[in-house]
Amino acid sequence: MTEAVLEVRDLRTRFAIHGASIEVVRGVDLAVAPGEVLGLIGESGSGKTVTGLSILRLAPENARVSARSIAVQGQDLQALSDAAFDELRGRRLAMIFQNPVGAFNPAKRVDWHLRQVVIRRQGQDAGWAEAARAALIGVGIPHPDRVLRLYPHQLSGGMAQRILIAMVLALEPDLIVADEPTTNLDNIVERQILALFRRLQGRLSAAFIFITHDMSIAAALCDRIAVMYAGRIVEVGPTAEVFARPRHPYTKGLVATALALKHKAERLKEIAGELPNLAAPPPGCLFAPRCAEVMARCRGEEPPALGPASHRVRCFRVEDA
Amino acid sequence: MPRAALYIAGRLAGALATIAVGALVVFFVMRAASGDPALAVLGENATPEAVAAFRAKHHLDAPLVAQFLIWLAGMLRGDFGLSLTIAGGIPIAQLMAARLPITAFVGLYAVVIAVLISLIMGTIAALRRGRAVDTVATSVAVLGISMPDFWLSYVLVFALALGWKLFPAYGFTSPVDSLAGALYSGFLPALAIAAPMAAVFARMLRTSLLETASREYVVVARSLGFSKPFIFRQYVFRNALIPYVTVIGLQIRYLLGGVVVIERIFGIQGLGSLAVDAAFARDYPTVQACTVVFLGIVLLVNVVVDLVCVALDPRRTL
């Protein structure tokens, strides 16, 4: 792996809610290389989105983010002031959001948004109209002139997401965090947007963190997969390997579910149980209460990241193999 | 723009229908009041001939429905009838034409003051949410809402007119004579009307700013690296203005009630004091005319506010 665009060590995010402090992200390690797509996978509430927002320092006001390091191309972002960080966003870091329709200024037309992006990129709006048209064509919008005159409320979800992607790409950031960018879209549009991502993948040098709860999307799109459970990454490795030989019982469950869906199995094998209460986390492995392969040891101590550097797993079972 | 023209024509037709219904209510309510206006004006000892002449002059001898239709038809031509009391029967249209600019000026002055105060206070309170400035501004706003305007007028007169002698305590220079004089002499009355409105507007703006600031598009704008002042201006403030303007439109109707009271207190010869004086003198046609004009002003302001809202909010169409 070449030098990482992003390297995160021991990221922790706490929320203060009604006096209680809940740690939602509990020591996440991540690294993404240029041009690489890292899939961050997990069920709702596993901390994927908060991880993305924390990296970009966009977490809500009641969140407390800490980390041993959050480095972009070797520069530790934690040392930056808020003002300096504002300068970084949109230049080196950018994010694509889940709800594209709500992402636009409702009072302004599409052309206004793209113009601001051009100004953000080059400091002035010279040639913005051309750049805007090119950006829209680049994300598969065939009639950009018509679309540029629309207001956000006149856009379909798929169209809005394409435009948002165009805006982010126009900024040419080094790292793009895409937070479930297709979850709120219907099936056909979802497939179109995923095809767009696949097409862009080859052309871009940016590193991608693709957050999703859908194993099959991750399989189709990502070079590596990081599986998140209850605020921790429980398994991370190359996509093909994780799919062929999932090591963590939780990953095994996700893969089995994805395969069952793919083959339209009559009965879905779901992972029974639910996420633990993070306000009062139980001791030991947080997946233990739902784990089919649980051992006595799992309930007492939390497994560290085990296995080779290319395929880490937080499970004591790995030692058995 | 034919659609805009069509829209305005439709609104005007609707406003005329509303005014007609309003006129009907006003007319019959006034007639239901006890006492003969002829006797009230001419006195108990008036000769039968004088009473008959008075009634004929003011169409009081016609059946009620006919009286109403005569009045309505007159208004369509801009003829509001003759005053029963003032200057031996001066045309009411002439009376109102002299007083409307004064009331319009004071009302507009009050709205401008209320908007300016609320824009500043509301924005500061939202930007400094939870801090001392916010607490003070919010408390002052609650005080402003709960203070009756006539009471506030006396406080202002005591402090700024009688105490510090900064402004006149009584009297008003018409803007037709001197704009500077009107701005100066109208400041206290306008402020008295504006203060409770400013409190409502400021609270609305604060709430609206905080609500807009928590919207997803603000996080997206930050993720694109737009500067904080830019995001506040173009995203937060711009979108918070829409509910703010709507509330201003809703408050205008209370403004007129304030104007009537405040004109009496400060001795301003506007439509409000004309209406009050006419009511005391049982000058029914004048009261009716003033009420209809007030109704027209409210309807007109509603149309203007709706047009501003449409201009501000692309999701709303005509």
Side-chain angles (χ1 to χ4, degrees), chain A residues 57-58 61 86 89-90 93 95 97 99 102-108 112-113 116 120 151 153 164 167 171, chain B residues 129 215-228 230 234-235 238-239 242 312-316:
Chain A
R57 215 185 273 184
L58 288 174
E61 273 178 25
D86 286 346
R89 262 186 245 109
L93 311 173
M95 190 152 174
F97 290 83
N99 172 21
F104 292 86
N105 185 343
K108 303 290 185 181
W112 181 88
H113 289 85
Q116 299 313 319
R120 171 78 186 119
Y151 279 102
H153 72 277
L164 204 60
M167 286 164 64
L171 290 164
Chain B
R129 178 182 41 145
R215 287 297 183 87
E216 192 177 358
Y217 49 72
V218 172
V219 180
V220 174
R222 290 184 61 203
S223 82
L224 295 168
F226 296 155
S227 76
K228 281 209 170 75
F230 176 84
Q234 297 287 350
Y235 281 78
R238 176 68 177 71
N239 287 291
I242 297 163
L312 280 176
D313 186 356
R315 285 162 294 189
R316 279 185 58 171

Short mmCIF file of all heavy atoms in Angstrom, two decimals, chain A residues 57-58 61 86 89-90 93 95 97 99 102-108 112-113 116 120 151 153 164 167 171, chain B residues 129 215-228 230 234-235 238-239 242 312-316:
data_model
loop_
_atom_site.label_atom_id
_atom_site.label_comp_id
_atom_site.label_asym_id
_atom_site.label_seq_id
_atom_site.Cartn_x
_atom_site.Cartn_y
_atom_site.Cartn_z
N ARG A 57 -14.70 16.64 11.07
CA ARG A 57 -15.03 17.59 12.13
C ARG A 57 -16.39 18.24 11.87
O ARG A 57 -16.57 19.46 11.99
CB ARG A 57 -13.95 18.67 12.27
CG ARG A 57 -13.76 19.09 13.73
CD ARG A 57 -12.80 20.22 13.89
NE ARG A 57 -11.40 19.79 14.01
CZ ARG A 57 -10.39 20.63 14.24
NH1 ARG A 57 -10.62 21.91 14.39
NH2 ARG A 57 -9.15 20.18 14.31
N LEU A 58 -17.36 17.40 11.51
CA LEU A 58 -18.72 17.89 11.25
C LEU A 58 -19.73 17.25 12.21
O LEU A 58 -20.93 17.40 12.03
CB LEU A 58 -19.13 17.56 9.81
CG LEU A 58 -18.47 18.37 8.70
CD1 LEU A 58 -18.87 17.81 7.34
CD2 LEU A 58 -18.84 19.84 8.80
N GLU A 61 -22.85 19.38 17.73
CA GLU A 61 -22.20 20.16 18.79
C GLU A 61 -22.02 19.39 20.09
O GLU A 61 -21.08 19.65 20.83
CB GLU A 61 -23.03 21.42 19.09
CG GLU A 61 -22.67 22.58 18.21
CD GLU A 61 -23.55 23.78 18.50
OE1 GLU A 61 -24.07 23.89 19.62
OE2 GLU A 61 -23.71 24.61 17.58
N ASP A 86 -11.83 24.52 8.34
CA ASP A 86 -12.81 24.99 7.34
C ASP A 86 -12.14 25.11 5.97
O ASP A 86 -12.73 24.80 4.94
CB ASP A 86 -13.37 26.36 7.73
CG ASP A 86 -14.35 26.26 8.90
OD1 ASP A 86 -14.78 25.12 9.20
OD2 ASP A 86 -14.67 27.30 9.50
N ARG A 89 -11.71 21.57 4.37
CA ARG A 89 -12.92 20.95 3.84
C ARG A 89 -13.24 21.54 2.47
O ARG A 89 -13.16 22.75 2.28
CB ARG A 89 -14.09 21.21 4.79
CG ARG A 89 -14.36 20.05 5.70
CD ARG A 89 -15.61 20.30 6.50
NE ARG A 89 -15.29 20.41 7.91
CZ ARG A 89 -15.33 21.53 8.61
NH1 ARG A 89 -15.71 22.65 8.04
NH2 ARG A 89 -15.01 21.54 9.87
N GLY A 90 -13.60 20.68 1.55
CA GLY A 90 -13.92 21.17 0.21
C GLY A 90 -12.67 21.32 -0.65
O GLY A 90 -12.77 21.49 -1.86
N LEU A 93 -10.79 17.43 1.79
CA LEU A 93 -11.78 16.48 2.29
C LEU A 93 -13.17 16.90 1.83
O LEU A 93 -13.48 18.09 1.80
CB LEU A 93 -11.80 16.47 3.82
CG LEU A 93 -10.48 16.34 4.56
CD1 LEU A 93 -10.72 16.52 6.05
CD2 LEU A 93 -9.87 14.99 4.26
N MET A 95 -17.57 15.38 1.52
CA MET A 95 -18.51 14.34 1.95
C MET A 95 -19.72 14.34 1.04
O MET A 95 -20.16 15.40 0.58
CB MET A 95 -18.92 14.60 3.40
CG MET A 95 -19.68 13.46 4.03
SD MET A 95 -19.41 13.43 5.83
CE MET A 95 -20.55 12.13 6.28
N PHE A 97 -23.70 13.05 1.00
CA PHE A 97 -24.63 12.73 2.08
C PHE A 97 -25.78 11.83 1.65
O PHE A 97 -26.04 11.63 0.47
CB PHE A 97 -25.19 14.03 2.68
CG PHE A 97 -24.16 14.79 3.45
CD1 PHE A 97 -23.28 15.65 2.80
CD2 PHE A 97 -24.06 14.66 4.82
CE1 PHE A 97 -22.32 16.35 3.50
CE2 PHE A 97 -23.10 15.36 5.52
CZ PHE A 97 -22.24 16.21 4.88
N ASN A 99 -29.10 12.17 2.28
CA ASN A 99 -30.37 12.75 1.83
C ASN A 99 -30.07 13.90 0.88
O ASN A 99 -30.00 15.05 1.27
CB ASN A 99 -31.14 13.24 3.06
CG ASN A 99 -32.38 14.03 2.68
OD1 ASN A 99 -32.88 13.90 1.56
ND2 ASN A 99 -32.87 14.84 3.59
N GLY A 102 -32.28 17.25 0.69
CA GLY A 102 -32.14 18.22 1.78
C GLY A 102 -30.77 18.85 1.85
O GLY A 102 -30.47 19.60 2.77
N ALA A 103 -29.91 18.54 0.87
CA ALA A 103 -28.52 19.01 0.94
C ALA A 103 -28.33 20.36 0.27
O ALA A 103 -27.28 20.97 0.40
CB ALA A 103 -27.61 17.98 0.29
N PHE A 104 -29.34 20.84 -0.43
CA PHE A 104 -29.20 22.09 -1.19
C PHE A 104 -29.85 23.26 -0.47
O PHE A 104 -30.79 23.08 0.29
CB PHE A 104 -29.85 21.93 -2.57
CG PHE A 104 -29.13 20.96 -3.47
CD1 PHE A 104 -29.41 19.61 -3.41
CD2 PHE A 104 -28.16 21.40 -4.35
CE1 PHE A 104 -28.74 18.71 -4.22
CE2 PHE A 104 -27.49 20.52 -5.17
CZ PHE A 104 -27.78 19.16 -5.10
N ASN A 105 -29.33 24.44 -0.75
CA ASN A 105 -29.96 25.66 -0.26
C ASN A 105 -31.29 25.83 -0.99
O ASN A 105 -31.31 26.05 -2.20
CB ASN A 105 -29.05 26.85 -0.56
CG ASN A 105 -29.58 28.14 0.02
OD1 ASN A 105 -30.76 28.23 0.38
ND2 ASN A 105 -28.72 29.14 0.12
N PRO A 106 -32.44 25.70 -0.26
CA PRO A 106 -33.73 25.67 -0.95
C PRO A 106 -34.07 26.98 -1.66
O PRO A 106 -34.93 27.00 -2.53
CB PRO A 106 -34.73 25.38 0.18
CG PRO A 106 -34.02 25.66 1.44
CD PRO A 106 -32.56 25.49 1.18
N ALA A 107 -33.36 28.06 -1.30
CA ALA A 107 -33.68 29.35 -1.91
C ALA A 107 -32.90 29.60 -3.20
O ALA A 107 -33.13 30.60 -3.87
CB ALA A 107 -33.40 30.47 -0.90
N LYS A 108 -31.97 28.70 -3.52
CA LYS A 108 -31.07 28.97 -4.65
C LYS A 108 -31.16 27.87 -5.71
O LYS A 108 -31.39 26.72 -5.40
CB LYS A 108 -29.62 29.06 -4.14
CG LYS A 108 -29.41 30.09 -3.05
CD LYS A 108 -29.53 31.48 -3.58
CE LYS A 108 -29.20 32.49 -2.49
NZ LYS A 108 -29.32 33.87 -2.96
N TRP A 112 -26.48 28.31 -8.98
CA TRP A 112 -25.88 29.04 -7.85
C TRP A 112 -24.94 28.12 -7.08
O TRP A 112 -23.80 28.51 -6.74
CB TRP A 112 -26.98 29.56 -6.93
CG TRP A 112 -26.48 30.35 -5.75
CD1 TRP A 112 -26.22 31.68 -5.69
CD2 TRP A 112 -26.17 29.83 -4.44
NE1 TRP A 112 -25.78 32.03 -4.44
CE2 TRP A 112 -25.73 30.92 -3.65
CE3 TRP A 112 -26.22 28.55 -3.86
CZ2 TRP A 112 -25.36 30.78 -2.32
CZ3 TRP A 112 -25.84 28.42 -2.54
CH2 TRP A 112 -25.42 29.52 -1.78
N HIS A 113 -25.40 26.90 -6.81
CA HIS A 113 -24.59 25.96 -6.03
C HIS A 113 -23.28 25.64 -6.74
O HIS A 113 -22.22 25.65 -6.13
CB HIS A 113 -25.38 24.67 -5.79
CG HIS A 113 -26.51 24.84 -4.82
ND1 HIS A 113 -27.76 25.28 -5.20
CD2 HIS A 113 -26.58 24.64 -3.49
CE1 HIS A 113 -28.53 25.34 -4.13
NE2 HIS A 113 -27.86 24.95 -3.08
N GLN A 116 -20.86 28.55 -6.65
CA GLN A 116 -20.16 28.69 -5.36
C GLN A 116 -19.02 27.69 -5.25
O GLN A 116 -17.96 27.97 -4.68
CB GLN A 116 -21.14 28.49 -4.19
CG GLN A 116 -22.28 29.49 -4.15
CD GLN A 116 -21.83 30.92 -4.34
OE1 GLN A 116 -20.80 31.33 -3.81
NE2 GLN A 116 -22.58 31.69 -5.12
N ARG A 120 -15.23 28.45 -4.72
CA ARG A 120 -14.50 27.79 -3.62
C ARG A 120 -13.20 27.19 -4.13
O ARG A 120 -12.17 27.24 -3.48
CB ARG A 120 -15.40 26.69 -3.04
CG ARG A 120 -14.73 25.78 -2.04
CD ARG A 120 -14.60 26.44 -0.68
NE ARG A 120 -13.82 25.60 0.22
CZ ARG A 120 -12.67 25.97 0.78
NH1 ARG A 120 -12.16 27.15 0.52
NH2 ARG A 120 -12.02 25.17 1.58
N TYR A 151 -34.72 24.73 -9.32
CA TYR A 151 -34.54 24.89 -7.87
C TYR A 151 -34.47 23.50 -7.22
O TYR A 151 -35.00 22.53 -7.79
CB TYR A 151 -35.73 25.67 -7.29
CG TYR A 151 -35.59 27.15 -7.48
CD1 TYR A 151 -36.30 27.81 -8.49
CD2 TYR A 151 -34.76 27.90 -6.66
CE1 TYR A 151 -36.17 29.18 -8.67
CE2 TYR A 151 -34.63 29.27 -6.84
CZ TYR A 151 -35.33 29.90 -7.84
OH TYR A 151 -35.20 31.25 -8.01
N HIS A 153 -36.08 21.99 -4.96
CA HIS A 153 -37.32 21.23 -4.76
C HIS A 153 -37.87 20.65 -6.07
O HIS A 153 -38.78 19.84 -6.05
CB HIS A 153 -38.38 22.10 -4.08
CG HIS A 153 -38.96 23.16 -4.96
ND1 HIS A 153 -38.34 24.38 -5.16
CD2 HIS A 153 -40.08 23.19 -5.71
CE1 HIS A 153 -39.07 25.10 -5.98
NE2 HIS A 153 -40.12 24.41 -6.34
N LEU A 164 -24.97 16.67 -6.44
CA LEU A 164 -24.13 16.77 -5.25
C LEU A 164 -22.77 16.10 -5.50
O LEU A 164 -21.72 16.63 -5.11
CB LEU A 164 -24.84 16.11 -4.07
CG LEU A 164 -24.41 16.59 -2.69
CD1 LEU A 164 -24.67 18.07 -2.55
CD2 LEU A 164 -25.15 15.83 -1.61
N MET A 167 -20.73 18.35 -7.60
CA MET A 167 -20.17 19.46 -6.82
C MET A 167 -18.92 19.01 -6.07
O MET A 167 -17.90 19.71 -6.04
CB MET A 167 -21.22 20.01 -5.83
CG MET A 167 -22.31 20.82 -6.51
SD MET A 167 -23.77 21.09 -5.47
CE MET A 167 -23.08 22.06 -4.15
N LEU A 171 -14.61 19.90 -6.79
CA LEU A 171 -13.66 20.43 -5.82
C LEU A 171 -12.35 19.65 -5.83
O LEU A 171 -11.37 20.07 -5.24
CB LEU A 171 -14.28 20.38 -4.41
CG LEU A 171 -15.42 21.36 -4.16
CD1 LEU A 171 -16.19 20.96 -2.91
CD2 LEU A 171 -14.89 22.77 -4.02
N ARG B 129 -26.57 32.35 21.20
CA ARG B 129 -27.58 31.55 21.88
C ARG B 129 -27.06 31.04 23.21
O ARG B 129 -25.94 30.53 23.31
CB ARG B 129 -27.98 30.37 21.01
CG ARG B 129 -28.99 29.45 21.65
CD ARG B 129 -29.30 28.30 20.74
NE ARG B 129 -28.07 27.83 20.10
CZ ARG B 129 -27.84 26.56 19.81
NH1 ARG B 129 -28.72 25.67 20.10
NH2 ARG B 129 -26.72 26.20 19.22
N ARG B 215 -30.39 22.73 10.00
CA ARG B 215 -30.79 21.95 8.82
C ARG B 215 -29.62 21.22 8.20
O ARG B 215 -28.47 21.63 8.33
CB ARG B 215 -31.40 22.87 7.76
CG ARG B 215 -32.77 23.39 8.12
CD ARG B 215 -33.74 22.24 8.22
NE ARG B 215 -35.09 22.72 8.49
CZ ARG B 215 -35.93 23.08 7.52
NH1 ARG B 215 -35.56 23.02 6.28
NH2 ARG B 215 -37.14 23.50 7.83
N GLU B 216 -29.93 20.15 7.49
CA GLU B 216 -28.89 19.33 6.88
C GLU B 216 -28.07 20.13 5.88
O GLU B 216 -26.85 19.95 5.77
CB GLU B 216 -29.53 18.12 6.20
CG GLU B 216 -28.50 17.08 5.81
CD GLU B 216 -29.12 15.85 5.21
OE1 GLU B 216 -30.36 15.77 5.12
OE2 GLU B 216 -28.36 14.96 4.80
N TYR B 217 -28.72 21.03 5.12
CA TYR B 217 -27.97 21.75 4.09
C TYR B 217 -26.85 22.62 4.66
O TYR B 217 -25.90 22.95 3.95
CB TYR B 217 -28.87 22.55 3.15
CG TYR B 217 -29.91 23.46 3.77
CD1 TYR B 217 -29.56 24.64 4.42
CD2 TYR B 217 -31.26 23.17 3.66
CE1 TYR B 217 -30.50 25.47 4.95
CE2 TYR B 217 -32.24 24.01 4.20
CZ TYR B 217 -31.85 25.15 4.84
OH TYR B 217 -32.80 25.99 5.36
N VAL B 218 -26.97 22.97 5.95
CA VAL B 218 -25.89 23.74 6.57
C VAL B 218 -24.66 22.84 6.79
O VAL B 218 -23.52 23.27 6.53
CB VAL B 218 -26.38 24.36 7.90
CG1 VAL B 218 -25.22 25.01 8.64
CG2 VAL B 218 -27.46 25.39 7.62
N VAL B 219 -24.90 21.60 7.20
CA VAL B 219 -23.78 20.66 7.36
C VAL B 219 -23.14 20.40 6.00
O VAL B 219 -21.91 20.37 5.86
CB VAL B 219 -24.27 19.33 7.98
CG1 VAL B 219 -23.11 18.36 8.13
CG2 VAL B 219 -24.92 19.57 9.33
N VAL B 220 -23.97 20.24 4.97
CA VAL B 220 -23.45 20.00 3.62
C VAL B 220 -22.61 21.21 3.17
O VAL B 220 -21.51 21.05 2.64
CB VAL B 220 -24.59 19.73 2.62
CG1 VAL B 220 -24.05 19.63 1.21
CG2 VAL B 220 -25.34 18.46 3.00
N ALA B 221 -23.12 22.41 3.43
CA ALA B 221 -22.38 23.62 3.04
C ALA B 221 -21.03 23.66 3.75
O ALA B 221 -20.01 24.02 3.16
CB ALA B 221 -23.20 24.86 3.37
N ARG B 222 -21.03 23.25 5.03
CA ARG B 222 -19.75 23.23 5.76
C ARG B 222 -18.82 22.18 5.16
O ARG B 222 -17.62 22.39 5.06
CB ARG B 222 -20.00 22.92 7.24
CG ARG B 222 -20.69 24.06 7.99
CD ARG B 222 -20.82 23.75 9.45
NE ARG B 222 -19.52 23.55 10.07
CZ ARG B 222 -19.31 22.85 11.18
NH1 ARG B 222 -20.33 22.26 11.78
NH2 ARG B 222 -18.11 22.74 11.68
N SER B 223 -19.39 21.03 4.74
CA SER B 223 -18.55 19.96 4.18
C SER B 223 -17.91 20.41 2.86
O SER B 223 -16.90 19.88 2.45
CB SER B 223 -19.37 18.70 3.97
OG SER B 223 -20.10 18.78 2.75
N LEU B 224 -18.54 21.38 2.20
CA LEU B 224 -17.97 21.89 0.94
C LEU B 224 -16.92 22.97 1.21
O LEU B 224 -16.29 23.47 0.28
CB LEU B 224 -19.08 22.45 0.05
CG LEU B 224 -20.10 21.42 -0.45
CD1 LEU B 224 -21.30 22.09 -1.06
CD2 LEU B 224 -19.47 20.46 -1.44
N GLY B 225 -16.80 23.34 2.47
CA GLY B 225 -15.76 24.30 2.84
C GLY B 225 -16.17 25.76 2.70
O GLY B 225 -15.31 26.63 2.71
N PHE B 226 -17.47 26.03 2.56
CA PHE B 226 -17.91 27.42 2.48
C PHE B 226 -17.63 28.10 3.83
O PHE B 226 -17.71 27.46 4.88
CB PHE B 226 -19.40 27.52 2.14
CG PHE B 226 -19.73 26.98 0.78
CD1 PHE B 226 -21.01 26.51 0.50
CD2 PHE B 226 -18.78 26.93 -0.23
CE1 PHE B 226 -21.32 26.02 -0.76
CE2 PHE B 226 -19.09 26.45 -1.48
CZ PHE B 226 -20.36 25.98 -1.75
N SER B 227 -17.33 29.40 3.78
CA SER B 227 -16.97 30.09 5.02
C SER B 227 -18.19 30.30 5.91
O SER B 227 -19.32 30.33 5.43
CB SER B 227 -16.33 31.44 4.69
OG SER B 227 -17.33 32.36 4.32
N LYS B 228 -17.94 30.44 7.19
CA LYS B 228 -19.04 30.59 8.15
C LYS B 228 -19.91 31.81 7.86
O LYS B 228 -21.13 31.72 7.86
CB LYS B 228 -18.47 30.67 9.57
CG LYS B 228 -18.09 29.31 10.13
CD LYS B 228 -18.23 29.30 11.65
CE LYS B 228 -18.09 27.90 12.20
NZ LYS B 228 -16.69 27.42 12.19
N PHE B 230 -20.41 33.30 5.05
CA PHE B 230 -21.14 33.02 3.81
C PHE B 230 -22.32 32.09 4.09
O PHE B 230 -23.44 32.34 3.64
CB PHE B 230 -20.19 32.36 2.79
CG PHE B 230 -20.87 31.94 1.52
CD1 PHE B 230 -21.09 32.85 0.49
CD2 PHE B 230 -21.30 30.63 1.34
CE1 PHE B 230 -21.72 32.45 -0.68
CE2 PHE B 230 -21.93 30.23 0.18
CZ PHE B 230 -22.14 31.14 -0.83
N GLN B 234 -26.07 33.31 3.33
CA GLN B 234 -26.74 32.75 2.16
C GLN B 234 -27.63 31.54 2.48
O GLN B 234 -28.58 31.28 1.75
CB GLN B 234 -25.70 32.35 1.11
CG GLN B 234 -24.90 33.52 0.57
CD GLN B 234 -25.72 34.37 -0.36
OE1 GLN B 234 -26.81 34.01 -0.75
NE2 GLN B 234 -25.19 35.53 -0.71
N TYR B 235 -27.27 30.79 3.50
CA TYR B 235 -28.06 29.61 3.83
C TYR B 235 -29.01 29.88 5.01
O TYR B 235 -30.21 29.74 4.90
CB TYR B 235 -27.14 28.43 4.19
CG TYR B 235 -26.53 27.72 3.00
CD1 TYR B 235 -25.45 28.26 2.32
CD2 TYR B 235 -27.03 26.50 2.57
CE1 TYR B 235 -24.89 27.59 1.25
CE2 TYR B 235 -26.48 25.84 1.49
CZ TYR B 235 -25.40 26.38 0.83
OH TYR B 235 -24.85 25.73 -0.24
N ARG B 238 -30.91 33.75 4.93
CA ARG B 238 -31.76 33.81 3.74
C ARG B 238 -33.01 32.94 3.90
O ARG B 238 -34.13 33.35 3.56
CB ARG B 238 -30.94 33.38 2.52
CG ARG B 238 -31.68 33.29 1.24
CD ARG B 238 -32.10 34.66 0.77
NE ARG B 238 -32.76 34.57 -0.52
CZ ARG B 238 -33.97 34.06 -0.69
NH1 ARG B 238 -34.65 33.65 0.36
NH2 ARG B 238 -34.50 33.97 -1.88
N ASN B 239 -32.83 31.73 4.41
CA ASN B 239 -33.97 30.83 4.54
C ASN B 239 -34.80 31.11 5.78
O ASN B 239 -35.98 30.78 5.81
CB ASN B 239 -33.50 29.37 4.51
CG ASN B 239 -33.07 28.95 3.11
OD1 ASN B 239 -33.91 28.84 2.22
ND2 ASN B 239 -31.79 28.75 2.90
N ILE B 242 -38.01 33.62 5.43
CA ILE B 242 -39.33 33.26 4.90
C ILE B 242 -40.40 33.20 6.00
O ILE B 242 -41.40 33.90 5.91
CB ILE B 242 -39.23 31.95 4.08
CG1 ILE B 242 -38.31 32.17 2.88
CG2 ILE B 242 -40.61 31.48 3.63
CD1 ILE B 242 -37.80 30.90 2.24
N LEU B 312 -39.30 35.40 -2.03
CA LEU B 312 -38.25 34.83 -1.19
C LEU B 312 -38.16 33.32 -1.29
O LEU B 312 -37.10 32.74 -1.15
CB LEU B 312 -38.51 35.21 0.28
CG LEU B 312 -38.11 36.59 0.75
CD1 LEU B 312 -38.54 36.78 2.20
CD2 LEU B 312 -36.63 36.80 0.62
N ASP B 313 -39.30 32.67 -1.50
CA ASP B 313 -39.35 31.22 -1.40
C ASP B 313 -39.72 30.61 -2.75
O ASP B 313 -40.88 30.66 -3.15
CB ASP B 313 -40.38 30.82 -0.33
CG ASP B 313 -40.36 29.32 -0.09
OD1 ASP B 313 -39.61 28.62 -0.79
OD2 ASP B 313 -41.10 28.86 0.80
N PRO B 314 -38.74 30.00 -3.44
CA PRO B 314 -39.04 29.43 -4.75
C PRO B 314 -40.04 28.28 -4.69
O PRO B 314 -40.62 27.92 -5.71
CB PRO B 314 -37.68 28.94 -5.25
CG PRO B 314 -36.84 28.83 -4.04
CD PRO B 314 -37.35 29.86 -3.07
N ARG B 315 -40.23 27.69 -3.53
CA ARG B 315 -41.19 26.59 -3.44
C ARG B 315 -42.62 27.09 -3.50
O ARG B 315 -43.55 26.33 -3.74
CB ARG B 315 -40.98 25.82 -2.13
CG ARG B 315 -39.76 24.93 -2.17
CD ARG B 315 -39.32 24.54 -0.79
NE ARG B 315 -38.86 25.71 -0.04
CZ ARG B 315 -38.25 25.64 1.14
NH1 ARG B 315 -38.06 24.48 1.70
NH2 ARG B 315 -37.84 26.74 1.74
N ARG B 316 -42.79 28.40 -3.23
CA ARG B 316 -44.16 28.95 -3.32
C ARG B 316 -44.36 29.61 -4.66
O ARG B 316 -43.49 30.31 -5.15
CB ARG B 316 -44.38 29.97 -2.20
CG ARG B 316 -44.70 29.30 -0.90
CD ARG B 316 -45.01 30.32 0.16
NE ARG B 316 -46.13 31.18 -0.24
CZ ARG B 316 -46.70 32.04 0.60
NH1 ARG B 316 -46.27 32.14 1.81
NH2 ARG B 316 -47.68 32.80 0.19
#
